[in-house]
Amino acid sequence: MHTLVFLSTRQVLQCQPAACQALPLLPRELFPLLFKVAFMDKKTAVLRELVHTWPFPLLSFQQLLQECAHCSRALLQERLSTESMQAVILGLTARIHAREAEAVWNTPHTLRVLDMTGLLDDGVEQDPGTMSMWDCTAAVARTCIAQQQVGTAKPGLSPVPVEIRVDLRVNRASYTFLREALQSSVDSLLRLCCRDLRAEDLPMRNTVALLQLLDAGCLRRIDLRFNNLGLRGLSVIIPHVARFQHLASLRLHYVHGDSRQPSVDGEDNFRYFLAQMGRFICLRELSIGSSLLSGRLDQLLSTLQRPLESLELAFCALLPEDLRFLAQSSHAAHLKKLDLSGNDLSGNQLTPFQGLLQAVAATLLHLELTECQIADAQLLATLPTLTRCASLRYLGLYGNPLSMAGLKELLRDSVIQAELRTVVHPFPVDCYEGLPWPPPASVLLEASINEEKFARVEAELHQLLLASGRAHVLWTTDIYGRLAADYFNL
């Protein structure tokens, strides 16, 4: 439902030329709603003029495009329109050029910050009419480069640059022009400021070069993926990361390296890495994926200066002692998000895992256990502890050898978890033909299922949810959707 004010605003914007002429006559309190409606309806001419004449120091997508009192639609949870995004950028450049021409820099109505952070980036194929995080990175970078080429302020003026806050996604293809944009924005009227950096498959020297250009006062997260650094490469990069002492989130995905390698160099590199990790004073999220931390989790976590709230240890070959240490550490009482995917929890690790669940039960909101070799017996033994996680909202169990009977038991027992909203479950083993036992995760992920059997499973689960008054809880096998919450959105 929309309010009368929203409907009236939409009507006013139907004729864009007239709306643009009327903007100076409208009260500034209407500008936030005007922006949302214009963005939603792709009124690009109005959007450009709104940014050009924006009467506040801050223009924030996260404030303007979320659910509001006049409209329940949250645009930041959707893929944003390319037309609307480009209109905002064009409006900003027009504003900068007008200020240069008029020699007006610092007034109560000077726009100082354009915050474009928080764009949806779910990793799936983009519609041609929408803008991904990568597209936004490219568009903003090119705008900063173009502005620097146009020139700077006239002599004698004291310019107030506009800070563009963005989440940057960079790979080999985009590295060169993004580096140029960061370099050119230092003395530009458009100051590029990165909140979250996601770098994929970049050579080590390029990663270091980018880190050296980032503003420590803006950076919240560093996310390095597919870099295959190993401990030696990580020891080169980590001091450049650790200079951002107020970093809140560090994610190192697929940074392959065996921390147990017996060489002297390997041990030295690991100790150096640990020492650098101890420099962070605000770190709240740590993700170390595909790193062999067997028996050494205590060394890693003991170096940190404050308890973590999000810890991802996917495919880290954890041992029982690692799980026991985590359960007894200061981190356990603060964890909101825990990812143990790819660690075998079916054998000697089961009891320590149950102890860890008990330790995190009071705070845990998000639990990911994909491909953990959890079968019915392990699930049933864990349910009494799992259901004590009263605040749990998300449970990921994809890729585990569970039967329909095990899933039904989980559904019945989880009724007491009032906050639970999403369960990502595996295809039940009942729906496969001729599975080896125990089935490897690769077989569960790649083997075909009997679609007719699975349709019956889905129908039965749906009926059980209805009967228990839990129809609002999503039970799904979709691991590629936008279901797993980002730590900062928990």
Side-chain angles (χ1 to χ4, degrees), residues 4-283:
L4 182 59
V5 174
F6 178 92
L7 296 174
S8 300
T9 302
R10 174 170 275 176
Q11 189 62 38
V12 166
L13 299 186
Q14 289 304 308
C15 179
Q16 294 196 72
C20 291
Q21 290 181 350
L23 285 181
L25 305 176
L26 297 177
R28 62 200 297 250
E29 290 77 14
L30 282 179
F31 271 59
L33 184 57
L34 286 165
F35 185 91
K36 182 174 184 179
V37 175
F39 201 104
M40 183 187 305
D41 293 347
K42 302 178 186 177
K43 302 297 184 182
T44 54
V46 175
L47 265 179
R48 288 197 300 270
E49 191 62 25
L50 278 168
V51 177
H52 188 189
T53 60
W54 193 251
F56 306 105
L58 172 66
L59 196 163
S60 168
F61 278 24
Q62 294 196 63
Q63 292 181 10
L64 298 171
L65 300 182
Q66 290 289 17
E67 180 179 348
C68 66
H70 301 288
C71 172
S72 60
R73 187 172 171 184
L75 293 176
L76 279 188
Q77 296 177 15
E78 308 171 12
R79 300 173 186 167
L80 296 185
S81 158
T82 299
E83 292 179 58
S84 296
M85 292 288 288
Q86 290 174 339
V88 171
I89 293 172
L90 289 173
L92 178 63
T93 55
R95 181 177 184 128
I96 291 292
H97 295 157
R99 282 164 55 180
E100 286 181 311
E102 297 167 7
V104 176
W105 295 101
N106 193 5
T107 73
H109 305 302
T110 297
L111 178 63
R112 296 171 183 259
V113 177
L114 171 60
D115 189 338
M116 303 173 71
T117 59
L119 301 189
L120 175 66
D121 192 59
D122 55 11
V124 298
E125 185 177 350
Q126 293 289 324
D127 183 277
T130 63
M131 184 172 280
S132 66
M133 187 191 298
W134 193 94
D135 297 325
C136 181
T137 296
V140 171
R142 292 190 179 103
T143 300
C144 291
I145 293 170
Q147 174 59 36
Q148 181 66 10
Q149 292 171 347
V150 168
T152 56
K154 298 177 182 179
L157 295 177
S158 299
V160 178
V162 176
E163 182 180 289
I164 308 179
R165 295 178 186 169
V166 287
D167 298 327
L168 296 178
R169 182 172 178 177
V170 57
N171 54 24
R172 290 174 184 260
S174 61
Y175 164 75
T176 300
F177 70 78
L178 180 57
R179 182 191 61 186
E180 183 181 352
L182 287 166
Q183 289 173 331
S184 65
S185 75
V186 173
D187 299 315
S188 173
L189 300 178
L190 292 180
R191 188 73 50 80
L192 189 58
C193 183
C194 175
R195 184 189 69 162
D196 295 350
L197 174 70
R198 177 172 166 179
E200 297 183 2
D201 198 25
L202 278 186
M204 187 165 54
R205 64 182 183 279
N206 293 356
T207 303
V208 170
L210 271 187
L211 291 172
Q212 291 173 335
L213 292 171
L214 298 180
D215 184 348
C218 299
L219 197 62
R220 182 183 72 168
R221 167 180 282 163
I222 293 176
D223 186 345
L224 305 180
R225 303 188 179 208
F226 317 114
N227 294 81
N228 296 316
L229 293 171
L231 281 173
R232 183 176 180 181
L234 192 57
S235 67
V236 173
I237 285 181
I238 193 64
H240 299 280
V241 175
R243 78 178 181 87
F244 303 103
Q245 295 185 3
H246 291 85
L247 196 72
S249 171
L250 176 60
R251 303 177 63 83
L252 303 172
H253 295 261
Y254 301 99
V255 183
H256 295 287
D258 189 346
S259 63
R260 301 170 300 171
Q261 64 189 74
S263 69
V264 174
D265 287 344
E267 284 299 312
D268 288 345
N269 287 331
F270 188 62
R271 282 194 294 268
Y272 182 71
F273 169 68
L274 295 178
Q276 295 297 314
M277 290 297 295
R279 293 174 58 187
F280 298 110
I281 60 177
C282 296
L283 197 66

